[in-house]
Amino acid sequence: MRRTRPGAGSLGSGGGTLHARRATGEERTLTSVEAGPDFDDFEDVPDQGTSRRTQSRGGDRAVSKLWHITLSVSGSEAPLTEVRRGLEQLAHDHPFLLTSRYANDHAEIRYWEEARDLHDAAAVALRLWGEHRSSAKLPPWEIVGLEVIDRETYHLRIAEGYGPPPAAPVGVHPF
């Protein structure tokens, strides 16, 4: 499982996060990040929406894929302006967020996660709220729901008219 962006640390191992600080008004420069070893033979592996394995110089290994995450949190009421500000900060700290919806006592966060399998994607999703609670000044709410589906299932649901519509508009919005 990998999630990288220039200037940021990994969420996966140290238990904490590392955030690059920028001066107010300073714009983020977009740069390419080289794909890791999981993607060496990506073109040769058909996308079937299930865990896939590829043969490479290092032997047989799992290939990462995308998972659509919907994380629901809830708790005691908080001022809407503080909830919105916290979710906007979370979106800034975690640039893979697609959309967040919120009310004064609950919120829903939707995003794509790259991981080897469902277990890894769910583990990262379950840590997201707690790891960013203090840095983003999020309300002290608990996770009350988690949905993790693979990319193929997400697109099948959308094509069949089930499930939430694609995450548009992107951003933080009230319910």
Side-chain angles (χ1 to χ4, degrees):
M1 160 178 42
R2 238 175 19 265
R3 176 179 37 218
T4 59
R5 83 181 141 88
S10 170
L11 291 175
S13 58
T17 57
L18 174 66
H19 302 286
R21 301 287 180 208
R22 289 191 297 277
T24 304
E26 182 181 337
E27 293 202 23
R28 182 183 310 189
T29 302
L30 299 178
T31 60
S32 289
V33 178
E34 185 176 325
D38 285 356
F39 289 92
D40 284 346
D41 301 320
F42 186 71
E43 292 85 22
D44 300 331
V45 180
D47 182 5
Q48 299 170 354
T50 60
S51 293
R52 301 175 310 268
R53 301 194 81 71
T54 183
Q55 193 69 21
S56 69
R57 295 178 297 275
D60 196 29
R61 65 169 187 260
V63 174
S64 294
K65 64 184 212 174
L66 290 175
W67 300 88
H68 186 266
I69 309 291
T70 303
L71 183 69
S72 300
V73 294
S74 181
S76 58
E77 289 190 8
L80 284 176
T81 55
E82 290 181 23
V83 174
R84 180 180 181 93
R85 189 214 37 76
L87 290 171
E88 287 173 343
Q89 183 63 46
L90 178 62
H92 175 77
D93 293 347
H94 191 284
F96 303 98
L97 292 182
L98 292 174
T99 187
S100 298
R101 299 187 306 164
Y102 65 94
N104 62 350
D105 63 348
H106 65 282
E108 177 185 272
I109 301 164
R110 296 173 58 203
Y111 67 100
W112 290 97
E113 181 68 60
E114 180 185 332
R116 270 185 320 217
D117 57 28
L118 179 133
H119 298 286
D120 287 348
V124 171
L126 289 170
R127 290 192 312 262
L128 178 73
W129 189 262
E131 287 184 352
H132 288 276
R133 185 175 291 157
S134 62
S135 65
K137 296 185 177 83
L138 295 166
W141 295 343
E142 294 183 19
I143 296 172
V144 295
L146 174 65
E147 180 184 58
V148 181
I149 58 174
D150 67 356
R151 185 173 161 177
E152 181 179 304
T153 302
Y154 175 82
H155 288 294
L156 282 172
R157 282 185 182 180
I158 300 305
E160 294 173 356
Y162 299 108
V170 173
V172 178
H173 307 282
F175 271 104

